[in-house]
Amino acid sequence: MQAEIWTKHHCPFCVTAKQILNDLKIPYREFIVSPGYDEETPGPNQQYVTKADLLAKYPAAKTVPQIWIDDEHIGGCTDLQAAVAKGRFKRG
């Protein structure tokens, strides 16, 4: 299983979603939506992107995080929480 999560800095829902993915032991690649690329050096599984990049991937995106697991769009943090609560993904 592999996840992709599109986030923003200082977003509490993004932090929560990444913690859930970590708890589930699902590795992820993080795409940080940022107006500038000079904030800090991205980590090994991080990449800075623009809002236009996010909208090119998912035109209906209005919020972050946006999460895909195995190329299936899950939605945002509350959608991930609901999927876990329904037993779709098991905690590690």
Side-chain angles (χ1 to χ4, degrees):
M1 212 175 282
Q2 178 74 30
E4 181 177 301
I5 182 168
W6 293 61
T7 67
K8 277 187 156 181
H9 288 304
H10 313 295
C11 166
F13 292 101
C14 299
V15 171
T16 298
K18 290 188 291 183
Q19 185 59 55
I20 292 168
L21 292 173
N22 286 329
D23 290 348
L24 293 169
K25 298 187 179 3
I26 298 174
Y28 60 86
R29 177 131 178 95
E30 181 179 7
F31 295 85
I32 305 166
V33 179
S34 174
Y37 297 103
D38 57 348
E39 297 169 10
E40 54 188 67
T41 304
N45 289 322
Q46 295 177 321
Q47 175 181 336
Y48 282 113
V49 294
T50 65
K51 184 176 180 181
D53 294 326
L54 173 58
L55 293 175
K57 178 164 179 85
Y58 186 63
K62 298 211 184 311
T63 61
V64 290
Q66 290 296 321
I67 304 158
W68 284 261
I69 297 178
D70 290 339
D71 295 322
E72 179 185 343
H73 185 247
I74 303 302
C77 182
T78 54
D79 300 308
L80 179 60
Q81 290 169 320
V84 171
K86 290 179 182 174
R88 185 165 174 203
F89 305 107
K90 301 291 184 197
R91 292 199 181 264

